[in-house]
Amino acid sequence: MSFTYDHVGASREPGFCPPGFHPLHVRTRIGEGEHVLRRAADAVMTWEMHRAMGVGIDASADRAAPDVDVTVTLAGMIKAPCRVVWTVEEHRRTGWAYGTLSGHPECGEESFIVDRTGDGTVWLTVNAFSRGAKWYARAGGPATRGLQHAYARRCGNVLRQLCEREIEEG
């Protein structure tokens, strides 16, 4: 399958949004400290965060890496095929981005980055640029974008809960 948009990998550039696409930027505080950073990074890189959200994940590898194919299933019936286009694994920053493939209801790219700022605070940032590809995504207009924002906020809330649960159990 091929990508459904130009500018593959462009989500690596902060704030980039091609003409005709809609930007998304949602940043959620996850917690504090090195342990939270490592736990959150692992949950993002291994699809655990997405699975904990209740979406189906069928990936060609156990961990995000360039060229890994991922199909996200929403509500048990909407299939969204994607491919990881880049990853980052640095001391204070870990994550990845995937781009949409043929058959995805949207067209564009989305990244999930966990980072730790200088004061020790750990954040999840979800950035995307997209536009409707299937008729129902285009017809949804602002409602579709509202659902995308809700999904990004839920990513942060679920990741925070995963990290808090481990600290409580640890």
Side-chain angles (χ1 to χ4, degrees):
M1 283 195 278
S2 57
F3 290 104
T4 59
Y5 63 102
D6 295 327
H7 302 51
V8 173
S11 61
R12 194 181 283 269
E13 289 181 48
F16 178 82
C17 185
F21 286 74
H22 300 282
L24 177 138
H25 177 84
V26 175
R27 191 167 191 223
T28 306
R29 185 183 181 282
I30 304 303
E32 293 181 7
E34 183 69 22
H35 179 74
V36 171
L37 173 67
R38 293 294 141 227
R39 174 67 180 104
D42 185 61
V44 167
M45 295 300 287
T46 63
W47 323 111
E48 182 185 4
M49 176 188 73
H50 285 82
R51 287 188 173 107
M53 293 175 57
V55 299
I57 295 288
D58 181 21
S60 63
D62 293 337
R63 190 170 177 81
D67 299 321
V68 168
D69 286 337
V70 184
T71 298
V72 180
T73 304
L74 303 168
M77 57 187 181
I78 297 174
K79 303 271 186 196
C82 306
R83 181 169 296 135
V84 177
V85 295
W86 58 265
T87 60
V88 60
E89 294 189 69
E90 298 170 351
H91 178 67
R92 291 180 169 260
R93 188 170 172 256
T94 301
W96 52 272
Y98 54 29
T100 58
L101 300 175
S102 298
H104 195 294
E106 291 286 317
C107 170
E109 206 164 284
E110 186 170 33
S111 67
F112 304 87
I113 303 296
V114 175
D115 72 294
R116 183 173 172 212
T117 58
D119 68 357
T121 305
V122 178
W123 298 87
L124 172 69
T125 303
V126 180
N127 280 312
F129 57 84
S130 65
R131 64 180 177 206
K134 299 241 181 196
W135 70 267
Y136 54 85
R138 288 191 305 271
T144 300
R145 289 189 294 284
L147 290 172
Q148 289 172 321
H149 277 83
Y151 182 85
R153 285 189 304 274
R154 181 150 166 69
C155 286
N157 292 333
V158 165
L159 187 59
R160 183 175 47 246
Q161 290 169 2
L162 286 170
C163 292
E164 288 172 352
R165 187 174 311 129
E166 182 165 302
I167 289 168
E168 290 170 4
E169 294 171 358

